[in-house]
Amino acid sequence: MSEARTYHRWQLGLSVIRVLLTAGYLAVLLATGAAARLRDFLDAWTTHWWLAAPSAVIMLAAGHELLTLPLAWLGGLELPRRYGLSHELLGQWLRDRIKGGLIGAGLASAGALVVYGLIRSTPWWWLWAAAAFAAGGALLAFVMPIWLVPLFYRLTPLSEGDLRSRLLRLAERARVPAVGVWIADQSRRSRTANAAVTGLGRTRRILVFDTLVSRFEPAEVEAVLAHELGHHVAGDVWRGLVVQGVVTLAAFWVADRALGAAWGPLGLSGPADLAGLPFLGLVTMAVSLLALPVINSWSRHVETRADDFALRLLGTPGPFIGAMERLADLNLSERNPPYLKELLLHSHPSVSRRVARARTGAWSEC
């Protein structure tokens, strides 16, 4: 347990440093005039804002990536390897990092086109941009199992047999239709285990890590899947998109007010001036950080409800408790985090709380 706590202290410290480094990077771009010089460079290169806006985002994101790469390496590769969570090689980690970066660059470019195109077009840009981002989030949730997940995992259909039949029957009992069960080769990089129900509608499928299949009893695999099915039964994917949409709307509304008040003192030609991009990033970052405890509180409620659904679907707490204990060991979970840390930073209830609720039978009264 002390090993898990030490590991998570390291990760928390790295997260805090990453936030401070990101905020400092954006502030320095504004204070030194580097953002204005980047704008001038892009203005000399092209007269088309729809080329300049994504180019500015990509260049600033590339600088941020280089600045924070040592932290990403330490938190994403070196620490997990040191604590036995991962056996991933540096080359494999870098390939995944590059693929994720390219996807992120594409999404950030699309976001820049939406935001700056609307800022140039309407004073209500913050409302329409939030709506566009919400629609984009729904589209990503739909295509994720088809286009995105296979970029990072080798997926193979689970062969006919008892486990496949049990998982599909469980999905039928939960009334969550799935097009099939796939195994992801998590063991190539890590010992960690999990399962998911990804996609929406006709793209919904059951995804199980090979580490889960090889290390857990079939009833425990069912317990993990039952929790994921609970999210789909409750419509948590859609609820999550709504919550994220509200946060995005609030961030853009605050950004609109802040840009309206600050573009003059910052020496910008107007809200659509690309030199204000770091300021826009700082404002949205601040709103997201302020909203984080509220989002995590909602998330813990959602996770508890999914736990309760899983326990009722299974009818007995044994497999669920066994699965939680094994997952905590494999994933090096912090079973009893400090109360304030859990309250502010954790999206899931602690393992000890989840196991205690299963043992007390509180789930059967809901």
Side-chain angles (χ1 to χ4, degrees):
M1 186 176 296
S2 60
E3 185 180 54
R5 180 154 293 185
T6 302
Y7 173 76
H8 286 280
R9 281 177 178 169
W10 270 101
Q11 292 290 9
L12 177 60
L14 290 174
S15 296
V16 171
I17 294 172
R18 188 178 294 113
V19 169
L20 294 175
L21 203 57
T22 299
Y25 171 69
L26 295 173
V28 166
L29 288 171
L30 283 172
T32 63
R37 288 193 293 273
L38 175 62
R39 174 205 58 203
D40 294 341
F41 167 77
L42 291 172
D43 284 346
W45 172 64
T46 179
T47 58
H48 303 296
W49 72 267
W50 46 268
L51 285 177
S55 298
V57 168
I58 290 172
M59 294 170 73
L60 293 180
H64 178 264
E65 177 68 17
L66 290 174
L67 182 65
T68 58
L69 187 60
L71 295 176
W73 166 79
L74 184 55
L77 182 66
E78 182 58 27
L79 276 177
R81 288 174 61 175
R82 185 178 302 175
Y83 282 85
L85 282 173
S86 173
H87 47 262
E88 190 173 19
L89 299 176
L90 177 61
Q92 183 182 17
W93 180 81
L94 285 172
R95 284 194 297 273
D96 284 347
R97 187 83 183 171
I98 291 169
K99 284 187 284 188
L102 291 174
I103 293 170
L107 294 175
S109 296
L113 288 172
V114 169
V115 168
Y116 278 93
L118 287 169
I119 289 177
R120 295 167 63 92
S121 304
T122 172
W124 293 87
W125 70 268
W126 51 273
L127 179 62
W128 293 111
F133 275 52
L139 179 61
L140 283 176
F142 185 80
V143 305
M144 182 179 294
I146 300 173
W147 292 346
L148 298 183
V149 175
L151 292 175
F152 299 93
Y153 295 97
R154 295 192 189 109
L155 302 180
T156 55
L158 180 60
S159 57
E160 295 286 345
D162 177 64
L163 182 59
R164 182 178 184 277
S165 299
R166 291 174 70 157
L167 297 182
L168 289 176
R169 281 199 303 268
L170 190 70
E172 289 178 5
R173 284 170 51 201
R175 298 182 181 179
V176 180
V179 298
V181 184
W182 274 260
I183 297 288
D185 61 338
Q186 176 70 356
S187 60
R188 273 196 312 132
R189 54 171 66 89
S190 173
R191 78 182 194 194
T192 57
N194 211 340
V197 180
T198 63
L200 298 171
R202 294 182 180 180
T203 69
R204 186 186 291 121
R205 58 196 64 193
I206 297 168
L207 186 66
V208 184
F209 282 2
D210 58 354
T211 47
L212 189 72
V213 174
S214 64
R215 294 173 179 260
F216 286 59
E217 296 296 327
E220 293 171 341
V221 178
E222 284 187 300
V224 178
L225 176 61
H227 171 91
E228 299 302 326
L229 292 170
H231 286 305
H232 283 259
V233 169
D236 290 337
V237 176
W238 293 109
R239 292 172 188 265
L241 290 171
V242 170
V243 170
Q244 187 57 53
V246 170
V247 174
T248 302
L249 178 64
F252 284 164
W253 180 82
V254 172
D256 176 65
R257 298 303 185 271
L259 276 172
W263 67 265
L266 288 174
L268 306 177
S269 60
D273 190 332
L274 288 177
L277 187 57
F279 181 75
L280 186 64
L282 280 169
V283 172
T284 55
M285 181 180 170
V287 173
S288 297
L289 287 173
L290 289 172
L292 184 61
V294 178
I295 295 174
N296 282 338
S297 176
W298 173 82
S299 178
R300 289 193 300 273
H301 166 74
V302 166
E303 296 298 334
T304 299
R305 184 176 59 198
D307 282 352
D308 291 348
F309 174 87
L311 287 159
R312 290 194 299 270
L313 186 64
L314 297 169
T316 177
F320 179 87
I321 293 172
M324 288 297 104
E325 296 286 359
R326 286 182 190 260
L327 285 172
D329 290 338
L330 276 180
N331 299 346
L332 202 61
S333 300
E334 195 173 8
R335 293 172 181 263
N336 292 286
Y339 175 73
L340 188 61
K341 180 181 178 182
E342 182 178 351
L343 184 69
L344 297 177
L345 301 177
H346 282 214
S347 61
H348 288 61
S350 66
V351 174
S352 61
R353 291 181 191 275
R354 298 173 79 175
V355 169
R357 184 175 177 85
R359 285 184 172 144
T360 59
W363 49 273
S364 62
E365 302 169 4
C366 299

